[in-house]
Amino acid sequence: MSTLQTEHREINGVKVEITRVGEGRIRRVTYPGGFRWSKDMKPTVKTDSCEHTHVGYIVEGSIEITYADGCRAEFTAPQAVVIDAGHDGRVTGNGAAVMIEFDFEGETARRFGLPESHRH
Ligand SMILES: [Zn+2]
């Protein structure tokens, strides 16, 4: 019997609770109302777009994703979420958006068999 340990982080107003599981992680991520990646995170991350693959479930609120080629996706709780790397994202509506995300840090796309970035 092992005990799961959860680490709490906050970056630019985004609260993240991280639980490591084997080679992966379960993360509960709270994006505050009004959050937009390109405004709130880009200056810290210093990439053109969010280069993370997001796989999980939105349990509260709504988000809108925009890819560099103009494709858009919207997710509203309760709903499964898959977002390819190479996107901007923002919280829509008034409140926060809460996501449960599963990742393998830099290997998330490969481990899930997803493309390394948005394509058709
Ligand atoms: Zn597209």
Side-chain angles (χ1 to χ4, degrees):
M1 169 104 189
S2 64
T3 303
L4 295 176
Q5 295 197 339
T6 298
E7 173 190 346
H8 300 260
R9 290 187 196 168
E10 181 158 353
I11 175 167
N12 300 356
V14 177
K15 290 185 183 140
V16 189
E17 292 158 55
I18 303 166
T19 305
R20 292 184 178 276
V21 182
E23 297 179 351
R25 307 189 300 179
I26 302 167
R27 300 191 310 146
R28 183 177 193 271
V29 188
T30 303
Y31 300 92
F35 174 85
R36 182 189 288 270
W37 185 89
S38 54
K39 170 173 62 79
D40 299 311
M41 209 60 86
K42 183 174 180 171
T44 303
V45 179
K46 296 181 169 64
T47 52
D48 284 344
S49 57
C50 177
E51 296 300 331
H52 289 126
T53 300
H54 301 265
V55 174
Y57 209 89
I58 183 167
V59 294
E60 188 180 317
S62 300
I63 59 170
E64 179 190 58
I65 299 303
T66 309
Y67 293 102
D69 66 357
C71 286
R72 291 173 55 254
E74 290 185 53
F75 300 96
T76 298
Q79 185 181 7
V81 174
V82 179
I83 302 166
D84 295 328
H87 59 269
D88 190 11
R90 71 183 183 97
V91 173
T92 55
N94 296 322
V98 180
M99 302 249 292
I100 309 297
E101 302 188 24
F102 305 94
D103 76 70
F104 296 90
E105 304 195 60
E107 299 194 336
T108 304
R110 186 177 67 76
R111 294 287 193 105
F112 277 108
L114 292 167
E116 291 293 332
S117 63
H118 173 72
R119 73 168 83 106
H120 300 231

